[in-house]
Amino acid sequence: MSAIGGIKDVGRGMGLPFAEVNELTMLIPNLLIGKKVSIDKALEVEPRLKEIQKEKPIYREVIDIARALEGLNRQTGMHAAGIVIGDRPLYDFVPMCRGKDGELVTQFAKDEVEDAGLVKFDFLGLKTLTVIANAIRHIHQREGEGPAGPHRELDIESLTFDDPAIYELIARGDTDGVFQLESSGFKGLLGRLTPDRFEDVVAACALYRPGPLDAGMVEDYIARKHGKKPVTYPHDACKPILEATYGVIVYQEQVMQIAVALCGFTMGGADKLRKAMGKKKADVMAEMRQMFVEGAVEKSGMPRNEADELFTQIEKFAGYAFNKSHSAAYSVITYRTAFLKAYYPVEFYAALISTEMRTQENVVRYIASARERGIDILPPSVNQSERDFSVVIDGDARKILFGLGAVKGLGDSAIDAILDARNDGGFESIFEFCERVSTRKVNKKGLEALIKSGALDPF
């Protein structure tokens, strides 16, 4: 609980009008020399805060209670994706409670949970996986539409990562809708890097962060890749580990490999070193430096001063190093979306726009991007459109049919009513449409939205 938040909560609990509580909190400065201000400090620097308590004694009571509560936890929170795993019931390790939906939740935060001997995993959901799944569904629906064999055989899981056409698409910045690579800054980086192998995509995704950008690691990687700077290594023994990244320490795993190969660290000890460097824990770092230097002297025969200098070099870059397993897994998804965009653009854009239907700005942007590639977007139709954007054949061309879910002013229940009624066949006129579809669900506003969007133009 902060000073301002605490006073607001106490005032609300005591039944004070919002305007009065606001009058009180306005007297507390937000920041003082870059730090949050406590109630005690605010009383020191703001004379009016003392005066107002004399004028209204209730304010003194509010401030006294808020001072007692200041700094306490206001409520519990639950990590949205954090899953804790143990080899015995969790309450053998940590105190537990029930969440709002009855789920078991640890009463320790992430660091304390690990200190108690449990393992924490973060499981993230990505809408891009839905884009890929829906694009493949559209591709497989080509069955019966001519030579369907190659499309039915497409297995996105078994793609190899050596298709030059995919890297050409990425290098020219044609990456609207491609996972991770959409921002203008990333497009600029790709133009300079011109990746031509999977390892470059993995490295780019790991390097495109504020730390490596500010430290000049990105420019160093690009210059070394294109032969504008010589590839050097902190030590000859590091060459097999850093060769793939042109001598630049890009990944945390490389730090661990160096510690194991040169200094005889166990993988567990190397992981401790990785965490210490990432979090810049000074006390742990001093201990790790000593272990690193002694290990390098004993295992690799390095002079002590060289080992110490090597640790300093590694420490400089390790703070910016990224988790390679994370970057590589994400880059697989990047490659797959780029593949779908390169070879199946109509199906890809239909799936992509469908996932963005609730964000009008993105729908407009991706429709414009699809049209730039010569893909036609047909207006919605109550007789043909699905909830999502779909792929239809118009003459010899494959086109995208606007989804009813993206028609502004048309709710889910209205769409359900239209699709349910259409199960008995298409509509022949607006009058028949109104007779067969519940006008409680598709009301006047919904009907107007359909008319204005062009969904009733066939009538």
Side-chain angles (χ1 to χ4, degrees), residues 150-167:
H151 310 301
R152 291 176 62 195
E153 295 300 317
L154 173 64
D155 178 10
I156 200 78
E157 298 285 337
S158 63
L159 288 183
T160 57
F161 298 95
D162 54 3
D163 188 336
I166 307 305
Y167 297 110

Side-chain angles (χ1 to χ4, degrees), residues 43-238:
L43 288 167
E44 270 182 46
V45 300
E46 180 51 72
R48 178 76 183 125
L49 202 54
K50 290 181 179 176
E51 292 169 18
I52 202 168
Q53 291 181 69
K54 293 174 186 173
E55 294 169 15
K56 296 185 180 179
I58 188 74
Y59 287 174
R60 179 184 295 278
E61 194 177 349
V62 170
I63 286 174
D64 285 346
I65 295 171
R67 283 169 76 187
L69 296 174
E70 189 177 6
L72 296 178
N73 289 325
R74 187 175 186 273
Q75 68 264 321
T76 58
M78 184 176 72
H79 192 302
I83 305 295
V84 180
I85 298 173
D87 61 352
R88 301 196 304 278
L90 297 185
Y91 46 71
D92 286 354
F93 298 90
V94 294
M96 308 291 294
C97 64
R98 290 283 181 187
K100 62 180 181 180
D101 296 321
E103 68 274 36
L104 274 174
V105 185
T106 71
Q107 294 191 58
F108 282 3
K110 59 175 186 174
D111 292 337
E112 290 78 14
V113 157
E114 291 182 345
D115 290 342
L118 295 170
V119 179
K120 179 185 71 71
F121 287 91
D122 290 350
F123 290 96
L124 308 180
L126 296 173
K127 65 182 178 183
T128 307
L129 298 177
T130 305
V131 173
I132 292 171
N134 287 340
I136 291 169
R137 179 171 54 80
H138 290 313
I139 292 164
H140 287 174
Q141 282 171 354
R142 290 185 174 190
E143 186 179 358
E145 297 170 4
H151 310 301
R152 291 176 62 195
E153 295 300 317
L154 173 64
D155 178 10
I156 200 78
E157 298 285 337
S158 63
L159 288 183
T160 57
F161 298 95
D162 54 3
D163 188 336
I166 307 305
Y167 297 110
E168 285 169 18
L169 179 142
I170 291 172
R172 67 175 180 265
D174 184 10
T175 52
D176 285 342
V178 176
F179 183 58
Q180 296 192 104
L181 311 185
E182 291 195 78
S183 71
S184 57
F186 216 134
K187 288 177 182 179
L189 165 62
L190 295 170
R192 301 197 309 280
L193 177 62
T194 57
D196 53 10
R197 57 183 188 139
F198 186 65
E199 185 68 58
D200 285 340
V201 177
V202 179
C205 293
L207 289 169
Y208 189 70
R209 295 176 297 117
L213 286 166
D214 293 342
M217 292 170 66
V218 176
E219 299 307 323
D220 195 24
Y221 183 95
I222 293 170
R224 291 181 183 211
K225 173 178 170 59
H226 295 302
K228 295 177 181 176
K229 278 180 74 172
V231 176
T232 57
Y233 302 96
H235 187 272
D236 289 344
C238 298

